[in-house]
Amino acid sequence: MLRFALSGLLVLVALALSALAAVASPWWWLPAAPLLALAAVAVYDLLQRRHSVLRNYPVIGHLRYLMESIRPEIQQYFIEHDYNGRPFDRDIRSLVYQRAKGTSAEDPFGTELAMYDQGYEYLVPSMAPRPVPQSPPTVRIGGPDCTRPYDMSLLNVSAMSFGSLSAPAIRALNKGAAAGGFAHDTGEGAISAHHLEYGGDLVWEIGTGYFGCRTEDGEFDPEQFREKAALDNVKCVLLKISQGAKPGIGGVLPGEKVNAEIARVRGVPEGETVISPPYHPVFSTPRELVRFIGRMRELDGGKPTGFKLCVGSRREFLAVCKAMKEEGVTPDFIVVDGAEGGTGAAPPEFADHVGYPLTEGLLTVHNALVGTGLRDRIRIGASGKVATGADIVKRMVHGADYTNAARAMMFAVGCIQAQACHTNKCPVGVATQDPKRSRALDVTDKAERVHRFHRATVHSAQRIMAAMGVQDPRELRPDMLHRRVDPVTIRSSAEVYARLATGELLESAPEEWAADWKAADPDSFRS
């Protein structure tokens, strides 16, 4: 490995010059002294476990931190921009880094947000705030057909597969989840030993490739599914229909990442690029989807079972609701993935132009379930750029019961957004299967960062709700979130977005929903 070879050479040269200085001439100390100092730094960098950048790039990695210390503006630049210099939302990166490190996240100079720009949102504080509860709230996941419900945290690790992420990154996420009592979504890449090592609660996500429960020809294998779903760590099972960054197409894992272990875990050939199909072969209609959800719940022994989607058509989702009503089968939870989310590689056109943003997706799913009288049976999770306490509260105002975070959790384990995930050359060992690079990620240190970030962010959500006069998330109302709709007009979420009453679609669909409701067909996604 080059870094070890160069560091070893540096040490040898420094020692050789020191020997010359001792036996030949003291003038040799002029080159020997700085080289000894650099050699000491190199050895320290290779052995320390706090900074992944220094473990992979000894000595020269200090240039990043040196620039930060010399000029605070440079430090802020690194916080606000990615590895390639592109701007990034400071609310996500800076808050995640500060909370993960356990440092203060207070801002002494006030907001820098454009409060008078159209689209600016703010939560409404109360003149009678409430005390912050001592313990964080949880959400009970499990409908009437679920015999083994699960209490979900308000914030959890969103879907990131082993294969996309390194083994140490998966272990750090799971160990952090175990310490904090929150759930870890496996992503569609199957359950590996790294997901099980620390006993963190798992949401087993199954995509169109059925990794971990597939036959040799890629079909769903019920016996493999039953066996893995029975694992104690698996608390919920989630069927992925689509994801926010690239709805309508399957995931891709480059062949250079498919090592022997990943090939064994996923049940695919080693060294070959893995492309998941864009659709599920086990169902082709809303009715078949609903029946398959019911079958999965029977196979997993009554554990909470749900599906995830990036909403693209209100009519299609209404067709699923009709199928639920007619079949008498409902998922225990639905995860809504926003089109603005996603940590994996995706075609830019899909990431920017396909699918509903999270707010509109949440409101569509929430309203459809309320309007069909199904909302009390089904919990809703929100996934898509969730990173702060304010994000959690806003998503719950829009209809979510809990949230999942992916990008923020990656930052917590050390991601610097180098955007080299698909190259297998992640500089900090987060998104690579190269053991020479992934060794830089210290599981114990990064797991504690994940735990700290989660704890601080959920506590922030509790503080915000308490300031709004709310102690239980179920007390949140649409009129508690306001939006500037133009330079001089502010409207509450209740005024901006229409809300359906319980059972309203069944009784008399409002005009703006009537056409979609009438056309929705439980036996076709193409009504």
Side-chain angles (χ1 to χ4, degrees):
M1 294 187 290
L2 184 60
R3 60 179 174 272
F4 288 105
L6 291 177
S7 298
L9 179 61
L10 180 61
V11 171
L12 289 175
V13 171
L15 292 175
L17 291 176
S18 299
L20 286 173
V23 301
S25 169
W27 289 102
W28 283 107
W29 283 115
L30 293 176
L35 286 179
L36 279 173
L38 289 176
V41 170
V43 172
Y44 171 79
D45 289 345
L46 290 172
L47 295 179
Q48 60 83 35
R49 298 179 178 275
R50 184 178 177 86
H51 300 291
S52 299
V53 170
L54 299 182
R55 282 169 65 83
N56 272 341
Y57 300 95
V59 182
I60 61 172
H62 285 276
L63 292 175
R64 176 186 177 96
Y65 302 105
L66 177 63
M67 288 188 291
E68 291 178 9
S69 64
I70 294 174
R71 294 290 298 275
E73 303 95 307
I74 295 176
Q75 180 180 21
Q76 190 64 27
Y77 179 87
F78 279 121
I79 289 175
E80 296 180 0
H81 294 73
D82 67 23
Y83 190 75
N84 294 308
R86 286 183 281 269
F88 191 73
D89 184 349
R90 76 158 191 172
D91 283 342
I92 294 179
R93 184 177 264 180
S94 63
L95 281 179
V96 172
Y97 284 173
Q98 289 168 343
R99 286 175 174 166
K101 294 177 180 178
T103 58
S104 173
E106 307 296 332
D107 189 343
F109 289 101
T111 182
E112 294 180 13
L113 296 175
M115 300 181 70
Y116 294 94
D117 285 355
Q118 182 174 335
Y120 173 76
E121 290 183 332
Y122 67 90
L123 295 158
V124 179
S126 171
M127 292 178 68
R130 305 288 300 280
V132 179
Q134 293 297 312
S135 57
T138 58
V139 179
R140 175 61 59 95
I141 308 293
D145 299 319
C146 174
T147 59
R148 302 170 68 179
Y150 176 69
D151 293 328
M152 189 78 73
S153 170
L154 294 188
L155 177 65
N156 306 277
V157 180
S158 195
M160 294 177 284
S161 302
F162 172 49
S164 297
L165 299 191
S166 66
I170 293 294
R171 293 201 299 273
L173 289 170
N174 194 257
K175 187 174 183 179
F182 52 99
H184 176 192
D185 188 315
T186 64
E188 65 173 301
I191 302 172
S192 69
H194 311 295
H195 290 99
L196 303 173
E197 183 173 343
Y198 294 105
D201 293 344
L202 296 178
V203 176
W204 181 20
E205 182 171 310
I206 299 166
T208 55
Y210 305 124
F211 302 123
C213 57
R214 62 186 265 135
T215 63
E216 290 185 1
D217 56 358
E219 297 293 324
F220 176 74
D221 187 328
E223 291 309 313
Q224 284 192 55
F225 173 81
R226 187 198 305 271
E227 178 185 349
K228 292 184 174 65
L231 293 169
D232 290 339
N233 303 63
V234 175
K235 304 301 181 183
C236 305
V237 175
L238 179 64
L239 184 72
K240 189 191 86 169
I241 297 175
S242 60
Q243 67 186 85
K246 44 189 173 185
I249 59 175
V252 178
L253 185 65
E256 59 188 8
K257 279 192 168 186
V258 185
N259 58 29
E261 182 183 18
I262 290 171
R264 183 177 65 256
V265 169
R266 294 195 177 205
V268 297
E270 181 180 354
E272 295 185 14
T273 296
V274 180
I275 302 177
S276 302
Y279 57 87
H280 280 274
V282 293
F283 64 85
S284 58
T285 69
R287 194 182 304 276
E288 290 175 355
L289 163 62
V290 170
R291 289 173 178 170
F292 186 65
I293 292 292
R295 185 187 179 200
M296 291 174 68
R297 187 163 47 221
E298 292 175 359
L299 292 170
D300 70 21
K303 294 180 179 181
T305 307
F307 65 86
K308 178 175 83 171
L309 81 164
C310 175
V311 181
S313 166
R314 182 168 70 180
R315 186 174 298 179
E316 286 186 353
F317 190 78
L318 288 173
V320 176
C321 292
K322 283 187 175 181
M324 294 179 197
K325 296 290 291 186
E326 293 184 13
E327 293 294 319
V329 176
T330 55
D332 300 293
F333 64 108
I334 296 173
V335 175
V336 180
D337 212 5
E340 67 270 44
T343 55
E349 296 90 346
F350 275 80
D352 294 338
H353 304 291
V354 182
Y356 277 21
L358 183 55
T359 296
E360 285 72 18
L362 272 175
L363 289 164
T364 297
V365 171
H366 173 74
N367 270 325
L369 294 178
V370 170
T372 52
L374 296 170
R375 185 63 177 89
D376 62 334
R377 300 165 62 103
I378 302 169
R379 297 291 173 259
I380 298 177
S383 174
K385 284 193 173 180
V386 175
T388 69
D391 292 334
I392 295 173
V393 178
K394 288 179 181 180
R395 298 317 179 194
M396 292 192 295
V397 167
H398 287 142
D401 295 296
Y402 67 94
T403 64
N404 297 329
R407 189 178 314 201
M409 293 294 182
M410 285 185 71
F411 290 159
V413 295
C415 171
I416 60 173
Q417 207 183 11
Q419 297 186 327
C421 311
H422 60 295
T423 67
N424 208 30
K425 296 179 180 179
C426 172
V428 289
V430 175
T432 178
Q433 299 308 314
D434 183 348
K436 299 174 184 177
R437 292 177 178 271
S438 63
R439 66 164 292 280
L441 195 156
D442 181 70
V443 172
T444 300
D445 177 64
K446 296 306 185 287
E448 182 55 33
R449 290 191 180 201
V450 170
H451 179 200
R452 283 196 296 256
F453 164 68
H454 173 271
R455 182 178 59 209
T457 305
V458 171
H459 182 67
S460 173
Q462 290 182 274
R463 290 179 65 191
I464 292 171
M465 286 188 285
M468 298 166 66
V470 169
Q471 284 193 312
D472 189 317
R474 290 173 293 185
E475 299 173 31
L476 291 168
R477 304 186 310 271
D479 61 344
M480 293 178 169
L481 175 63
H482 286 193
R483 168 179 285 195
R484 183 176 293 281
V485 296
D486 63 47
V488 296
T489 308
I490 292 175
R491 294 280 185 265
S492 74
S493 181
E495 297 171 294
V496 174
Y497 301 107
R499 301 286 181 129
L500 296 184
T502 301
E504 186 174 356
L505 291 173
L506 304 177
E507 298 169 2
S508 178
E511 182 179 353
E512 61 270 27
W513 285 75
D516 284 337
W517 177 246
K518 181 179 180 180
D521 182 356
D523 292 306
S524 175
F525 282 115
R526 304 182 187 279
S527 55

